[in-house]
Amino acid sequence: MHIRRINAETVTVPATGYSQALEVSGHTRLLFVSGQIPLGIDGTLPEGFEAQCRLAWRNVEAQLKAAGMTLDNLVMHRTYLADRRYALLNRSVRNEVLGGRETALTVVIAGIFDEAWLLEVEAMAAG
């Protein structure tokens, strides 16, 4: 599989941690990961945004692993935040989790299904 990052010169340069577009070729599988919520397997909800964000990303990683993939296969993700005040902390945790991987991404400020959840992360991977 080959991933080519595309950032048009006529568009604002993105902040670190993502590409404006990705071209993926040579793959044989696509994986669409439904929105992962910040609940542990035992149904517990961590307190605070950072802990919830880390758990949602661990849940994304678990779905990738179950499909025989890793974060290296991630090509797109969308994060839904309950409040824009979490935007910078979300970016920080995301960049740490992705460890220099640059995906295409969108962050949306939205009402989340359960008011206790501060975010939800959905993803697309190719392999």
Side-chain angles (χ1 to χ4, degrees):
M1 177 179 78
H2 177 72
I3 298 175
R4 181 171 72 108
R5 285 157 179 71
I6 300 170
N7 291 295
E9 294 177 8
T10 58
V11 178
T12 303
V13 176
T16 59
Y18 78 98
S19 292
Q20 292 286 6
L22 292 178
E23 177 183 83
V24 182
S25 59
H27 64 283
T28 57
R29 300 185 305 143
L30 292 176
L31 176 68
F32 297 89
V33 180
S34 295
Q36 297 299 295
I37 58 176
L39 285 181
I41 193 162
D42 59 357
T44 58
L45 176 71
E47 200 167 312
F49 181 82
E50 184 172 355
Q52 286 194 22
C53 189
R54 290 184 187 287
L55 180 54
W57 275 106
R58 279 195 304 275
N59 291 343
V60 168
E61 287 186 87
Q63 299 303 337
L64 292 169
K65 183 177 180 181
M69 296 182 174
T70 70
L71 288 173
D72 290 332
N73 297 99
L74 193 66
V75 294
M76 170 73 183
H77 67 279
R78 189 170 294 115
T79 301
Y80 299 92
L81 298 177
D83 194 299
R84 74 180 66 253
R85 71 178 175 223
Y86 303 126
L88 293 179
L89 185 53
N90 173 65
R91 180 187 299 166
S92 176
V93 171
R94 176 190 71 226
N95 287 346
E96 181 184 323
V97 168
L98 294 181
R101 297 172 185 90
E102 292 187 0
T103 68
L105 70 89
T106 300
V107 176
V108 179
I109 310 303
I112 308 292
F113 181 78
D114 186 316
E115 290 181 1
W117 305 341
L118 302 178
L119 80 158
E120 187 170 343
V121 180
E122 67 179 353
M124 186 172 120

